[in-house]
Amino acid sequence: MADEHDSAFDVLDSLDVLFRHKWIIVGLATITLAAALLVSYLKDPVYTSTGKVLVKPIALNPPGSVPLASVINMPTEVEVVRSLLVAEIAAKELSEVDPQVALGRVSATFPADSQIMLISYSDAEPAAAQAGAQAFSTAYLEFRSEQAAEAASAAIEHATSQIASLKRDANAAAREAQSLPPASSGRTEAENRAAQLNGQIAGWENSVALLNIQAVDAGQVLVPAGRPVSPSSPNHRLDAIRGLLLGLGLGVAGALVVDRAAKRRRRSPP
């Protein structure tokens, strides 16, 4: 009971201290609020535009043949958007922007459990922000398409190599069968081996045919980047709240320090 009474007394005592030194709190809060607003309004405005891109799996996996990635890992795709390779493609559309500079202005996010990429670009000019977001959206899709085409080309090359190797083995098995007596077990075994190899060849050839006719669909721009009408930064309201909270914190600390200093002076002998 005594502890509760002492605790309540401490709270009331602290509130009394803050009330007696309220002008310190008000003064510091006013100063920091004014300073925060001044700095906020002196900042150059920054505009941000965002494009919405649907990311599609690049499924180039004919059954039983060429292993190519077809699962989308969205965190990885975010890093692709913010890669120098994509920035270099986008910079071709943004003729006066260096790729490294462009990288510092672009960001990418995605809603959870979705295949939607939100690609944003910030600039001091609304039109430049819009152009940057659109350039990165199309550059990202172009890069994915190029990567898929290169993967398909490598897969076709691998399949062609496999076909050539299998054909050599099949021809060797056929020659071996021809050299053995008819109806012999060795000839039957060689013919079966040749037939199996020819079946594998047919599978690989079918895979190559499918890869040659498949169209690469890396995705599409669902919502083109729009021209922003108001700056995304600075946020004057948020800056004001931060300045006010900082000032209140400094004011409370200052009031407590002043009160303790006054108590020490009163307790010290003259």
Side-chain angles (χ1 to χ4, degrees):
M1 191 71 179
D3 290 342
E4 292 181 2
H5 179 74
D6 291 341
S7 177
F9 181 79
D10 289 341
V11 172
L12 292 175
D13 184 58
S14 297
L15 291 175
D16 180 63
V17 170
L18 297 180
F19 180 77
R20 283 188 284 107
H21 299 287
K22 58 182 176 296
W23 295 116
I24 295 177
I25 300 173
V26 171
L28 286 174
T30 302
I31 291 171
T32 55
L33 173 61
L37 286 173
L38 177 62
V39 171
S40 182
Y41 278 97
L42 287 176
K43 290 180 181 177
D44 293 329
V46 175
Y47 296 84
T48 300
S49 178
T50 301
K52 185 180 291 186
V53 176
L54 172 62
V55 185
K56 294 183 179 181
I58 302 174
L60 297 172
N61 297 21
S65 60
V66 186
L68 293 175
S70 60
V71 179
I72 298 176
N73 185 314
M74 292 301 287
T76 299
E77 295 302 316
V78 167
E79 296 304 315
V80 172
V81 173
R82 300 197 68 258
S83 68
L84 184 59
L85 292 172
V86 171
E88 288 173 346
I89 298 173
K92 296 175 183 177
E93 299 296 325
L94 308 171
S95 56
E96 296 183 1
V97 180
D98 181 85
Q100 291 285 3
V101 174
L103 276 180
R105 300 176 180 177
V106 70
S107 62
T109 59
F110 60 94
D113 301 322
S114 78
Q115 294 175 199
I116 303 298
M117 185 74 71
L118 304 177
I119 300 178
S120 302
Y121 191 87
S122 300
D123 197 275
E125 297 294 332
Q130 179 185 19
Q134 192 62 28
F136 267 90
S137 297
T138 55
Y140 165 63
L141 292 177
E142 180 181 337
F143 176 79
R144 288 193 87 229
S145 297
E146 289 177 355
Q147 292 296 104
E150 290 177 4
S153 177
I156 290 172
E157 182 179 349
H158 174 68
T160 302
S161 174
Q162 291 294 316
I163 291 170
S165 177
L166 290 169
K167 281 184 176 180
R168 287 193 297 269
D169 293 341
N171 291 335
R175 288 193 299 270
E176 180 183 348
Q178 290 295 326
S179 67
L180 296 172
S184 66
S185 61
R187 180 167 183 156
T188 301
E189 182 182 345
E191 287 175 344
N192 289 339
R193 189 166 65 253
Q196 290 175 355
L197 291 168
N198 284 323
Q200 294 178 37
I201 290 169
W204 281 103
E205 287 178 339
N206 182 58
S207 298
V208 171
L210 288 174
L211 284 168
N212 280 322
I213 64 173
Q214 274 187 330
V216 175
D217 187 4
Q220 65 187 89
V221 177
L222 291 180
V223 180
R227 183 165 181 166
V229 296
S230 59
S232 57
S233 176
N235 187 326
H236 302 312
R237 179 179 296 180
L238 182 59
D239 290 340
I241 292 173
R242 288 172 175 170
L244 180 60
L245 291 177
L246 175 62
L248 289 174
L250 291 174
V252 168
L256 294 175
V257 169
V258 169
D259 185 74
R260 289 176 183 174
K263 287 179 178 179
R264 281 197 297 270
R265 286 196 300 270
R266 287 195 296 269
R267 292 170 182 170
S268 61

